[in-house]
Amino acid sequence: MNAVACADDGDVGGDDEVGDTAGTENGDNDEADESTTDDEVGDMDQGSTDATTEGETTEESTETTEESTSDGETTDEGPSETTAADGDADMDGIINADDNCPNTANPNQLDFDGDGEGNVCDVMAFTMGGGSLMSSAVADSNLGGCNIPVDIVVTGGEVLVQLDDDAAVVGVEVVSLDIEDILDQVCQLNFLISADVSLTEFTMTNAGDAFPVGFDHDQGDHDAGIASGDTDAPHPVLTTANIEAAVGGMPGEPSLLELDGNLPIMTVETLDAGDSLTIDFDDPDFVMAMDVFMITDPLAVDIDFQLVGLVGTLDMTP
Ligand SMILES: [Ca+2]
Ligand SMILES: [Ca+2]
Ligand SMILES: [Ca+2]
Ligand SMILES: [Ca+2]
């Protein structure tokens, strides 16, 4: 029988390029991390400001309660009075009533999309509007190799964008991309061996932190409602699919493909204060992910599998 097995070879391909392409820019990346923290994503997931406001206020005022009251049991009433007296829960100089993000310090009060929710509280979510990407599935073995062009037709997914309060960094997170099935691509390893390869249930998901990549931003663009630039590092992603390779005319065995890798550096542009988002990839040589497949029949062959290059544009809508 034909056995197509999958040996995880660690996260390879993209990682080399992380070092090469982003080495000097790690500083920027750190900046992005600071300004776009996990907490803020949490806020978004729970559906914006209202839900989180009370929780954080209570926390802070609990400390005040210890100082100013004796009982400690009446945490519900005491704190809100104290906080009201303070009037500025995050001590950013803007009283709660006027603060567009009352529990996170944002003295500039920048609000890119003008919806009344400050940048540091506000995550803009975009879903797929159109566009497609090109990549290649490259197989290599001691018997020969093949290079199959792959249309990555993105059928859905989500990308999050968050700006900071200094008009300095824009964070970008590719949460997920759903990719149309790739069916029956013939990989001719040599004149004897060919494999019919299908990839189904093909998705890429964020494999790093929230907002793993960012880019520089300035006040002028912020005021003009534009945020655009090249991301400062490859975006870590986990690519999963069911791969089925039928070798020598025998039916293949589907197996789970799990590739740790990266999306190459991308150019991101949002216009009209977040009314549209465009993501451009233009790196035909970037190794997004790699793995080793072993075929045991008709011959034992190790096949190095790589997903190489990403070129194209995704248009996304809020
Ligand atoms: Ca405040
Ligand atoms: Ca604030
Ligand atoms: Ca906003
Ligand atoms: Ca918003």
Side-chain angles (χ1 to χ4, degrees), residues 1-45:
M1 61 168 251
N2 294 306
V4 177
C6 162
D8 193 354
D9 165 52
D11 48 356
V12 225
D15 280 1
D16 292 340
E17 303 206 17
V18 175
D20 296 345
T21 52
T24 56
E25 293 179 0
N26 281 343
D28 293 347
N29 198 24
D30 292 340
E31 245 178 74
D33 289 341
E34 282 167 28
S35 58
T36 56
T37 64
D38 292 358
D39 289 342
E40 285 148 24
V41 178
D43 288 350
M44 185 226 34
D45 288 337

Tab-separated table of all heavy atoms in Angstrom, residues 1-45:
chain	number	residue	atom	x	y	z
A	1	MET	N	0.826	-1.208	0.000
A	1	MET	CA	0.000	0.000	0.000
A	1	MET	C	0.860	1.258	0.000
A	1	MET	O	2.039	1.200	0.336
A	1	MET	CB	-0.894	0.009	1.233
A	1	MET	CG	-0.100	0.003	2.532
A	1	MET	SD	-1.160	0.363	3.937
A	1	MET	CE	-0.624	1.970	4.357
A	2	ASN	N	0.219	2.276	-0.340
A	2	ASN	CA	0.933	3.547	-0.335
A	2	ASN	C	0.746	4.229	1.003
A	2	ASN	O	-0.366	4.464	1.419
A	2	ASN	CB	0.366	4.472	-1.408
A	2	ASN	CG	0.629	3.905	-2.779
A	2	ASN	OD1	1.765	3.600	-3.118
A	2	ASN	ND2	-0.434	3.727	-3.543
A	3	ALA	N	1.817	4.493	1.614
A	3	ALA	CA	1.697	5.240	2.873
A	3	ALA	C	2.332	6.607	2.691
A	3	ALA	O	3.476	6.718	2.286
A	3	ALA	CB	2.393	4.470	3.990
A	4	VAL	N	1.545	7.584	2.917
A	4	VAL	CA	2.104	8.933	2.890
A	4	VAL	C	2.040	9.442	4.309
A	4	VAL	O	0.981	9.687	4.848
A	4	VAL	CB	1.297	9.847	1.969
A	4	VAL	CG1	1.881	11.250	2.030
A	4	VAL	CG2	1.341	9.321	0.548
A	5	ALA	N	3.185	9.509	4.910
A	5	ALA	CA	3.205	9.917	6.306
A	5	ALA	C	3.810	11.297	6.414
A	5	ALA	O	4.448	11.783	5.500
A	5	ALA	CB	4.020	8.918	7.129
A	6	CYS	N	3.572	11.861	7.538
A	6	CYS	CA	3.994	13.241	7.712
A	6	CYS	C	4.937	13.315	8.893
A	6	CYS	O	4.582	12.945	9.989
A	6	CYS	CB	2.739	14.081	7.972
A	6	CYS	SG	3.046	15.653	8.685
A	7	ALA	N	6.150	13.697	8.633
A	7	ALA	CA	7.107	13.836	9.733
A	7	ALA	C	7.322	15.303	10.020
A	7	ALA	O	7.784	16.034	9.165
A	7	ALA	CB	8.420	13.177	9.348
A	8	ASP	N	6.968	15.677	11.191
A	8	ASP	CA	7.122	17.096	11.525
A	8	ASP	C	8.587	17.398	11.722
A	8	ASP	O	9.281	16.804	12.493
A	8	ASP	CB	6.344	17.440	12.802
A	8	ASP	CG	6.250	18.940	12.961
A	8	ASP	OD1	6.871	19.652	12.154
A	8	ASP	OD2	5.548	19.371	13.883
A	9	ASP	N	8.975	18.387	11.016
A	9	ASP	CA	10.387	18.701	10.898
A	9	ASP	C	10.613	19.990	11.630
A	9	ASP	O	11.567	20.689	11.415
A	9	ASP	CB	10.484	18.713	9.403
A	9	ASP	CG	11.568	19.259	8.669
A	9	ASP	OD1	12.665	18.871	8.983
A	9	ASP	OD2	11.298	20.021	7.795
A	10	GLY	N	9.711	20.292	12.513
A	10	GLY	CA	9.871	21.508	13.296
A	10	GLY	C	9.449	22.716	12.504
A	10	GLY	O	9.014	22.568	11.377
A	11	ASP	N	9.573	23.875	13.089
A	11	ASP	CA	9.251	25.011	12.242
A	11	ASP	C	10.510	25.504	11.587
A	11	ASP	O	11.407	25.978	12.222
A	11	ASP	CB	8.483	26.129	12.970
A	11	ASP	CG	9.095	26.495	14.279
A	11	ASP	OD1	10.063	25.833	14.670
A	11	ASP	OD2	8.634	27.412	14.897
A	12	VAL	N	10.493	25.307	10.311
A	12	VAL	CA	11.716	25.490	9.581
A	12	VAL	C	11.660	26.738	8.731
A	12	VAL	O	12.016	27.829	9.161
A	12	VAL	CB	11.970	24.277	8.678
A	12	VAL	CG1	13.401	23.856	8.778
A	12	VAL	CG2	11.041	23.167	9.015
A	13	GLY	N	11.155	26.510	7.562
A	13	GLY	CA	11.297	27.456	6.470
A	13	GLY	C	11.296	28.909	6.863
A	13	GLY	O	12.312	29.581	6.726
A	14	GLY	N	10.180	29.359	7.325
A	14	GLY	CA	10.073	30.780	7.579
A	14	GLY	C	11.053	31.284	8.610
A	14	GLY	O	11.475	32.414	8.538
A	15	ASP	N	11.422	30.423	9.525
A	15	ASP	CA	12.206	30.921	10.640
A	15	ASP	C	13.540	31.521	10.209
A	15	ASP	O	13.969	32.523	10.741
A	15	ASP	CB	12.443	29.802	11.644
A	15	ASP	CG	11.232	29.609	12.524
A	15	ASP	OD1	10.229	30.344	12.311
A	15	ASP	OD2	11.256	28.792	13.397
A	16	ASP	N	14.178	30.895	9.255
A	16	ASP	CA	15.431	31.464	8.789
A	16	ASP	C	15.199	32.884	8.325
A	16	ASP	O	15.959	33.775	8.600
A	16	ASP	CB	15.977	30.634	7.617
A	16	ASP	CG	16.396	29.266	8.099
A	16	ASP	OD1	16.610	29.138	9.311
A	16	ASP	OD2	16.486	28.345	7.278
A	17	GLU	N	14.110	33.016	7.614
A	17	GLU	CA	13.888	34.332	7.043
A	17	GLU	C	13.487	35.340	8.100
A	17	GLU	O	13.686	36.523	7.913
A	17	GLU	CB	12.819	34.260	5.951
A	17	GLU	CG	13.232	33.249	4.886
A	17	GLU	CD	12.628	33.556	3.540
A	17	GLU	OE1	12.164	34.682	3.348
A	17	GLU	OE2	12.620	32.670	2.685
A	18	VAL	N	12.945	34.851	9.189
A	18	VAL	CA	12.623	35.791	10.260
A	18	VAL	C	13.893	36.502	10.668
A	18	VAL	O	13.955	37.708	10.782
A	18	VAL	CB	12.041	35.064	11.487
A	18	VAL	CG1	11.837	36.051	12.617
A	18	VAL	CG2	10.745	34.410	11.121
A	19	GLY	N	14.951	35.675	10.873
A	19	GLY	CA	16.199	36.269	11.290
A	19	GLY	C	16.725	37.240	10.254
A	19	GLY	O	17.085	38.363	10.567
A	20	ASP	N	16.721	36.796	9.016
A	20	ASP	CA	17.318	37.607	7.973
A	20	ASP	C	16.580	38.913	7.773
A	20	ASP	O	17.183	39.963	7.671
A	20	ASP	CB	17.295	36.838	6.633
A	20	ASP	CG	18.160	35.601	6.726
A	20	ASP	OD1	18.952	35.533	7.684
A	20	ASP	OD2	18.029	34.721	5.872
A	21	THR	N	15.284	38.806	7.702
A	21	THR	CA	14.560	39.990	7.266
A	21	THR	C	14.187	40.908	8.404
A	21	THR	O	14.004	42.087	8.204
A	21	THR	CB	13.276	39.596	6.524
A	21	THR	OG1	12.557	38.703	7.354
A	21	THR	CG2	13.604	38.941	5.206
A	22	ALA	N	14.096	40.345	9.573
A	22	ALA	CA	13.554	41.193	10.632
A	22	ALA	C	14.556	41.464	11.736
A	22	ALA	O	14.252	42.118	12.701
A	22	ALA	CB	12.319	40.543	11.224
A	23	GLY	N	15.743	40.945	11.549
A	23	GLY	CA	16.709	41.021	12.635
A	23	GLY	C	16.888	42.413	13.212
A	23	GLY	O	16.818	42.594	14.413
A	24	THR	N	17.054	43.373	12.351
A	24	THR	CA	17.353	44.697	12.864
A	24	THR	C	16.107	45.422	13.320
A	24	THR	O	16.190	46.481	13.905
A	24	THR	CB	18.018	45.552	11.776
A	24	THR	OG1	17.143	45.556	10.647
A	24	THR	CG2	19.367	44.979	11.382
A	25	GLU	N	14.982	44.843	13.025
A	25	GLU	CA	13.770	45.593	13.309
A	25	GLU	C	13.015	45.060	14.502
A	25	GLU	O	11.892	45.438	14.743
A	25	GLU	CB	12.868	45.577	12.071
A	25	GLU	CG	13.514	46.346	10.949
A	25	GLU	CD	12.650	46.337	9.699
A	25	GLU	OE1	11.573	45.725	9.739
A	25	GLU	OE2	13.063	46.928	8.715
A	26	ASN	N	13.671	44.186	15.230
A	26	ASN	CA	12.973	43.637	16.386
A	26	ASN	C	12.525	44.712	17.346
A	26	ASN	O	11.542	44.565	18.039
A	26	ASN	CB	13.864	42.620	17.103
A	26	ASN	CG	13.832	41.297	16.369
A	26	ASN	OD1	12.917	41.086	15.562
A	26	ASN	ND2	14.806	40.433	16.594
A	27	GLY	N	13.287	45.778	17.383
A	27	GLY	CA	12.910	46.882	18.262
A	27	GLY	C	11.515	47.371	17.951
A	27	GLY	O	10.681	47.529	18.825
A	28	ASP	N	11.278	47.550	16.676
A	28	ASP	CA	9.959	48.035	16.280
A	28	ASP	C	8.881	47.066	16.703
A	28	ASP	O	7.823	47.439	17.138
A	28	ASP	CB	9.892	48.192	14.747
A	28	ASP	CG	10.809	49.309	14.304
A	28	ASP	OD1	11.259	50.059	15.182
A	28	ASP	OD2	11.056	49.411	13.096
A	29	ASN	N	9.247	45.807	16.540
A	29	ASN	CA	8.258	44.792	16.863
A	29	ASN	C	7.898	44.871	18.342
A	29	ASN	O	6.748	44.766	18.735
A	29	ASN	CB	8.836	43.417	16.521
A	29	ASN	CG	7.763	42.382	16.402
A	29	ASN	OD1	6.620	42.732	16.129
A	29	ASN	ND2	8.105	41.129	16.624
A	30	ASP	N	8.922	45.048	19.165
A	30	ASP	CA	8.661	45.165	20.598
A	30	ASP	C	7.732	46.335	20.869
A	30	ASP	O	6.834	46.252	21.682
A	30	ASP	CB	9.970	45.373	21.357
A	30	ASP	CG	10.823	44.113	21.295
A	30	ASP	OD1	10.234	43.047	21.012
A	30	ASP	OD2	12.012	44.192	21.516
A	31	GLU	N	8.029	47.406	20.133
A	31	GLU	CA	7.189	48.579	20.319
A	31	GLU	C	5.724	48.231	20.069
A	31	GLU	O	4.849	48.609	20.808
A	31	GLU	CB	7.579	49.645	19.293
A	31	GLU	CG	8.160	50.902	19.877
A	31	GLU	CD	8.553	51.843	18.746
A	31	GLU	OE1	7.647	52.433	18.146
A	31	GLU	OE2	9.767	51.944	18.457
A	32	ALA	N	5.547	47.488	18.991
A	32	ALA	CA	4.173	47.123	18.655
A	32	ALA	C	3.565	46.318	19.783
A	32	ALA	O	2.402	46.489	20.129
A	32	ALA	CB	4.152	46.313	17.369
A	33	ASP	N	4.376	45.446	20.364
A	33	ASP	CA	3.839	44.626	21.445
A	33	ASP	C	3.393	45.483	22.612
A	33	ASP	O	2.365	45.259	23.212
A	33	ASP	CB	4.897	43.631	21.935
A	33	ASP	CG	5.131	42.547	20.887
A	33	ASP	OD1	4.241	42.402	20.017
A	33	ASP	OD2	6.154	41.901	20.939
A	34	GLU	N	4.252	46.470	22.923
A	34	GLU	CA	3.903	47.300	24.069
A	34	GLU	C	2.595	48.039	23.847
A	34	GLU	O	1.767	48.141	24.723
A	34	GLU	CB	4.991	48.351	24.301
A	34	GLU	CG	6.232	47.785	24.996
A	34	GLU	CD	7.388	48.766	24.925
A	34	GLU	OE1	7.113	49.979	24.861
A	34	GLU	OE2	8.546	48.322	24.909
A	35	SER	N	2.479	48.537	22.639
A	35	SER	CA	1.352	49.432	22.451
A	35	SER	C	0.064	48.681	22.146
A	35	SER	O	-1.002	49.236	22.177
A	35	SER	CB	1.651	50.404	21.323
A	35	SER	OG	1.925	49.675	20.162
A	36	THR	N	0.186	47.424	21.817
A	36	THR	CA	-1.022	46.669	21.517
A	36	THR	C	-0.957	45.380	22.321
A	36	THR	O	-0.415	44.392	21.878
A	36	THR	CB	-1.108	46.336	20.031
A	36	THR	OG1	0.085	45.647	19.672
A	36	THR	CG2	-1.238	47.579	19.198
A	37	THR	N	-1.502	45.432	23.478
A	37	THR	CA	-1.329	44.299	24.379
A	37	THR	C	-2.478	43.328	24.293
A	37	THR	O	-3.514	43.617	23.725
A	37	THR	CB	-1.240	44.789	25.829
A	37	THR	OG1	-2.493	45.389	26.157
A	37	THR	CG2	-0.149	45.812	26.011
A	38	ASP	N	-2.246	42.195	24.909
A	38	ASP	CA	-3.273	41.150	24.915
A	38	ASP	C	-4.577	41.647	25.531
A	38	ASP	O	-5.653	41.296	25.110
A	38	ASP	CB	-2.796	39.943	25.717
A	38	ASP	CG	-1.640	39.256	24.979
A	38	ASP	OD1	-1.296	39.725	23.873
A	38	ASP	OD2	-1.124	38.302	25.493
A	39	ASP	N	-4.411	42.462	26.558
A	39	ASP	CA	-5.606	42.952	27.239
A	39	ASP	C	-6.561	43.615	26.265
A	39	ASP	O	-7.760	43.446	26.320
A	39	ASP	CB	-5.222	43.985	28.296
A	39	ASP	CG	-4.529	43.300	29.459
A	39	ASP	OD1	-4.680	42.058	29.562
A	39	ASP	OD2	-3.866	43.968	30.232
A	40	GLU	N	-5.948	44.373	25.361
A	40	GLU	CA	-6.803	45.126	24.460
A	40	GLU	C	-7.570	44.187	23.530
A	40	GLU	O	-8.695	44.435	23.165
A	40	GLU	CB	-5.952	46.102	23.661
A	40	GLU	CG	-5.541	47.276	24.554
A	40	GLU	CD	-4.196	47.845	24.193
A	40	GLU	OE1	-3.783	47.692	23.048
A	40	GLU	OE2	-3.560	48.436	25.082
A	41	VAL	N	-6.928	43.112	23.171
A	41	VAL	CA	-7.646	42.153	22.332
A	41	VAL	C	-8.774	41.535	23.127
A	41	VAL	O	-9.865	41.319	22.639
A	41	VAL	CB	-6.697	41.056	21.838
A	41	VAL	CG1	-7.468	40.044	21.023
A	41	VAL	CG2	-5.597	41.688	21.016
A	42	GLY	N	-8.472	41.285	24.384
A	42	GLY	CA	-9.517	40.757	25.257
A	42	GLY	C	-10.729	41.665	25.254
A	42	GLY	O	-11.862	41.215	25.119
A	43	ASP	N	-10.445	42.950	25.343
A	43	ASP	CA	-11.549	43.907	25.336
A	43	ASP	C	-12.400	43.717	24.096
A	43	ASP	O	-13.613	43.712	24.153
A	43	ASP	CB	-11.005	45.342	25.306
A	43	ASP	CG	-10.393	45.721	26.651
A	43	ASP	OD1	-10.577	44.942	27.616
A	43	ASP	OD2	-9.766	46.747	26.733
A	44	MET	N	-11.695	43.539	22.989
A	44	MET	CA	-12.430	43.425	21.749
A	44	MET	C	-13.298	42.177	21.741
A	44	MET	O	-14.435	42.202	21.357
A	44	MET	CB	-11.470	43.370	20.586
A	44	MET	CG	-12.177	43.363	19.278
A	44	MET	SD	-11.503	42.128	18.196
A	44	MET	CE	-11.038	40.834	19.301
A	45	ASP	N	-12.700	41.082	22.191
A	45	ASP	CA	-13.437	39.826	22.151
A	45	ASP	C	-14.720	39.908	22.968
A	45	ASP	O	-15.727	39.321	22.629
A	45	ASP	CB	-12.580	38.678	22.687
A	45	ASP	CG	-11.490	38.329	21.677
A	45	ASP	OD1	-11.695	38.636	20.487
A	45	ASP	OD2	-10.479	37.779	22.082
